[in-house]
Amino acid sequence: MLNVLVLHGPNLNLLGTREPDVYGTDTLADIDFQLTALAEEQKIAIRIKQSNSEEALIESLHSSREWANGVLFNPGAFTHTSVALRDAIAAIDVPVVEVHLSNIHARESFRRDSLLAPVCIGSISGFGTNSYMLGLQALKTHIK
Ligand code: DQA
């Protein structure tokens, strides 16, 4: 059985009402529901966490080593700022796929750079809720 930790970063708890023109109208619960259904179908065990705190996300990455074979991570705005999260991903021996709902390369210039992408196995950006589904499939294929 494959074990995957899904990590949602800051402000993603507000999906549904947060800038729907950019992020769509699915709530985080909608995304988690779809992820859970796909995971069940693919025989993947998933655990899902959301945090607005960089510290909590670092702790989750560290503890993923105890259970997860892979991490699906939407780091939100920390993508563009956090050396500490980059170091956490580099420090753990667990493959991480970076996902974004929006296409970060087609937005403001400060979003075009990801400090985390170089230490992730790959990044998926711009497909809305489907970015997570594609990310889960990519993680499964990579681990197998
Ligand atoms: C995001 C993109 C980030 O630039 C932004 O700060 C977010 C969401 C996305 O999923 O498109 O919070 O990670």
Side-chain angles (χ1 to χ4, degrees):
M1 188 78 153
L2 219 61
N3 294 339
V4 171
L5 172 67
V6 178
L7 271 184
H8 303 290
N11 301 308
L12 296 169
N13 54 312
L14 300 182
L15 287 176
T17 54
R18 176 192 178 198
E19 300 183 79
D21 46 321
V22 179
Y23 299 115
T25 51
D26 278 356
T27 63
L28 197 61
D30 294 333
I31 294 174
D32 291 347
F33 182 81
Q34 290 180 49
L35 271 172
T36 304
L38 178 63
E40 256 176 52
E41 186 191 301
Q42 301 274 321
K43 307 209 182 319
I44 301 170
I46 58 168
R47 290 180 185 171
I48 304 176
K49 286 186 194 166
Q50 188 275 328
S51 179
N52 294 317
S53 141
E54 191 176 22
E55 181 187 348
L57 293 167
I58 292 168
E59 298 293 353
S60 292
L61 287 166
H62 291 180
S63 55
S64 73
R65 289 173 302 169
E66 290 150 26
W67 178 78
N69 308 109
V71 176
L72 191 61
F73 189 19
N74 185 345
F78 289 140
T79 306
H80 321 293
T81 61
S82 180
V83 176
L85 279 171
R86 177 191 171 120
D87 287 351
I89 294 169
I92 59 173
D93 199 15
V94 180
V96 177
V97 170
E98 176 189 1
V99 298
H100 298 284
L101 296 153
S102 63
N103 178 357
I104 58 171
H105 304 287
R107 299 184 60 195
E108 303 96 322
S109 55
F110 63 85
R111 290 187 207 275
R112 287 185 198 141
D113 240 14
S114 167
L115 297 186
L116 312 187
V119 291
C120 291
I121 57 169
S123 306
I124 296 169
S125 167
F127 297 95
T129 299
N130 203 29
S131 290
Y132 283 92
M133 311 306 146
L134 295 167
L136 189 61
Q137 311 250 26
L139 202 48
K140 183 181 175 187
T141 309
H142 175 86
I143 294 165
K144 277 201 150 181

